[in-house]
Amino acid sequence: MRSYRSLLCVLTLILAVPLTFVFATDEPKTIDTSKPAAPPAVKNALPAELEGHPPVTKQTRIELIRTMQAEFGFAKRLIPKGDKGLQLTSNGQIAPDDQTVASQVATYGPAAKPGEKLQITNVVIKSNEIVFDLNGGSKRRGHWYDHVEVGGGGGMVPAHQEKGINNPGCTLALIFPKYVPEMTANDVRKMLEPVIDFSVKSPTQAYVDTLPPKLKESIQNHQALVGMNKEMVMDALGRPPKRIRETDDNVDYEEWIYGAPPGDVQFVRFVNEEVVRVEHIQVGGDKIVKTAREVKVNPVTGAAILVDPNAPQVASAAAPADTAAPAATAEPRKQPAKPPSLRRAGEQTEEEALGKGKKAEPELGSKPIPAGGSTQEPEWGTKPAKPASTSAADPNFPEPMPPPSTDPH
C-alpha cells in the first residue's frame, strides 16, 4: 500500500513539471514604449527669402569670405573636435544627433561648449555647401620635420613629438539643396543661428563703433584712407590677395593689392604700419591717387581722429617768440658771448704783448740747423735746414739718379 502511494506521488510530480514550464512560457511579453520613435527625415529646402535666387556670383563669394572669415560668435550647442564635424542644412537640420556628438566629445574632446566664444578661421564655398573652420578647423597644421624619424638597430623614433597632436577645432558644413544661392552675410548668419549666436558684437564691430562717424562709414563702405593702420585696412577691405615689398628713395614700403584687371584694382601702400598712399584704378581707366593724410592714429592707444587734408598748416605753439613776432617790433639780436678762455682777466696774448709790427719768436723745433761743415752745434729741439739747391761738388749731397730710359733699344 505504501509503495502504491509513493508511486502516485512520483507520477504527480512528473506531470506537474511540464505544466509549469508551459504556463511559464506562455506569459505575455511586455514592450517598452517610453522612447519615442525617430521622426521622419525632412527634405532640405531653401529659406523663403532665398527662394528663386540665382547661383552665387564670384563677387558675392569674395564678399562672403571677406565678411565671415575671422568672425566671432558664441556656441549654442556642444561642438566636438574631429574630422567628421557638424552638418547643418539650410532649413535648420543638424547632424549628427546629440548621442553621437556626446560620443565624439568623449573620444576627441570638445572644440566649444555651449556659451563659449568661438571663431570662424576659414571659409570655403563649394558647389552646394559652405564649409566653415571653427577654432582652427579639423586638420592640424603640422611641419615637415614631423615626418622625420631617427633610430638605429633598436627601431625608429620620431624626431619631433609635438604636444596636443589632436585636431584643434571642428568643421561646420552649411548644405543647400542644389547650389549655393546669391545671398548676403546676414542671410548666412541667420542660417547658422542653430549652432552659432552672432547677436553679441564681435571685437571688430566693437572697435569700429568707437571710431568717428566718417571713419566708421568708410570702413563699412570698404574704403581705405591715408593714415589708417593695417588693422583698419583689414577691417575695411579684408585680407589682401597679393602683397609686394619694394624700396623707393631708400624707403622700404609694403603694398597691398586688391582686385585684378579688367575689374577695379586698388593699391594701398604702407610705410611703418601706416598707409601713405592709396591708388584706385577703375574699370573705365580713371585713376584716383590720394597721398594727403586723412586719418591720424595714436600708435599707443589706437584712438583715431580725422584730419582735413585741405586745412592750412598751423605753426607750432612751441615756436620761439622772436620768429613769430613782426620784424618792426622785434628786438635787436644780442651779440654772442665770447668763447671761454683759460687766461686771467687783463692777461694779454703774445701777439698783443709784442705789438702788431713785431713777430713772435718761432716755436720750439723751428730753428734751422747750420749747414754742413759748420762746427756749431744745433740747439736742442731744432729742425734740420733744407738746402735751397744741391750741387754736384758738394760731397754731402750725392748726385740724383737719372730717370729710367724708355727707349726699347
Side-chain angles (χ1 to χ4, degrees), residues 16-349:
V17 170
L19 292 175
T20 305
F21 177 76
V22 172
F23 290 132
T25 56
D26 290 341
E27 291 181 358
K29 298 181 179 179
T30 58
I31 300 175
D32 187 9
T33 59
S34 60
K35 294 182 180 180
V42 180
K43 187 178 179 181
N44 190 12
L46 287 174
E49 59 271 14
L50 298 181
E51 287 287 348
H53 284 210
V56 62
T57 60
K58 182 178 179 180
Q59 183 65 26
T60 304
R61 286 173 178 263
I62 297 175
E63 292 293 334
L64 291 177
I65 294 174
R66 179 184 299 170
T67 306
M68 297 303 300
Q69 192 162 337
E71 188 74 9
F72 287 88
F74 291 86
K76 299 181 67 173
R77 56 172 294 150
L78 187 62
I79 301 177
K81 293 182 180 180
D83 298 332
K84 297 181 180 180
L86 297 179
Q87 294 181 354
L88 175 65
T89 60
S90 55
N91 59 354
Q93 303 178 56
I94 302 175
D97 55 8
D98 295 341
Q99 185 176 359
T100 306
V101 169
S103 176
Q104 294 178 2
V105 170
T107 305
Y108 304 106
K113 298 179 181 178
E116 289 186 351
K117 194 174 184 179
L118 54 81
Q119 183 183 20
I120 298 176
T121 54
N122 193 27
V123 181
V124 178
I125 301 179
K126 299 182 180 180
S127 59
N128 67 330
E129 64 179 357
I130 304 177
V131 181
F132 302 92
D133 284 355
L134 306 181
N135 291 344
S138 60
K139 294 183 179 179
R140 182 175 62 89
R141 273 64 176 175
H143 308 279
W144 61 268
Y145 46 79
D146 293 338
H147 306 280
V148 177
E149 294 183 352
V150 295
M156 304 297 291
V157 178
H160 179 259
Q161 295 181 354
E162 186 176 357
K163 296 181 179 180
I165 60 176
N166 294 331
N167 298 329
C170 177
T171 57
L172 173 62
L174 180 60
I175 303 175
F176 296 88
K178 296 181 180 179
Y179 54 84
V180 177
E182 185 77 9
M183 56 185 170
T184 62
N186 291 330
D187 296 331
V188 177
R189 294 190 186 97
K190 187 175 180 179
M191 285 184 286
L192 293 179
E193 281 184 357
V195 180
I196 306 175
D197 182 11
F198 296 99
S199 60
V200 182
K201 291 183 178 180
S202 65
T204 300
Q205 293 174 338
Y207 174 70
V208 170
D209 289 343
T210 62
L211 301 176
K214 185 178 179 181
L215 183 56
K216 177 181 177 181
E217 183 181 356
S218 300
I219 293 178
Q220 293 176 348
N221 294 336
H222 309 295
Q223 297 176 357
L225 303 179
V226 178
M228 285 184 171
N229 54 22
K230 290 185 177 181
E231 182 180 357
M232 290 182 177
V233 175
M234 293 186 71
D235 293 339
L237 302 177
R239 295 184 179 180
K242 186 178 180 180
R243 306 182 188 186
I244 59 174
R245 291 181 174 86
E246 296 290 344
T247 302
D248 186 12
D249 293 337
N250 296 328
V251 177
D252 297 334
Y253 68 88
E254 181 179 357
E255 200 156 45
W256 293 3
I257 304 175
Y258 295 90
D264 292 355
V265 183
Q266 193 167 1
F267 301 88
V268 182
R269 181 174 296 183
F270 293 90
V271 174
N272 297 330
E273 305 295 324
E274 181 181 330
V275 178
V276 297
R277 187 174 186 270
V278 177
E279 181 179 353
H280 188 194
I281 302 177
Q282 301 177 357
V283 177
D286 298 336
K287 181 167 64 173
I288 301 174
V289 180
K290 296 186 298 183
T291 56
R293 179 186 291 275
E294 301 171 278
V295 181
K296 186 175 182 180
V297 183
N298 189 327
V300 179
T301 62
I305 58 175
L306 291 174
V307 178
D308 187 4
N310 300 323
Q313 297 293 333
V314 181
S316 174
D322 56 345
T323 58
T329 60
E331 297 180 359
R333 295 179 179 272
K334 297 180 180 180
Q335 296 294 333
K338 294 182 178 181
S341 175
L342 296 177
R343 295 187 180 92
R344 298 183 181 88
E347 185 179 358
Q348 296 180 348
T349 61

Side-chain angles (χ1 to χ4, degrees), residues 349-362:
T349 61
E350 295 180 0
E351 295 179 355
E352 294 175 351
L354 295 175
K356 296 183 180 179
K358 298 181 180 180
K359 294 183 180 181
E361 291 292 333

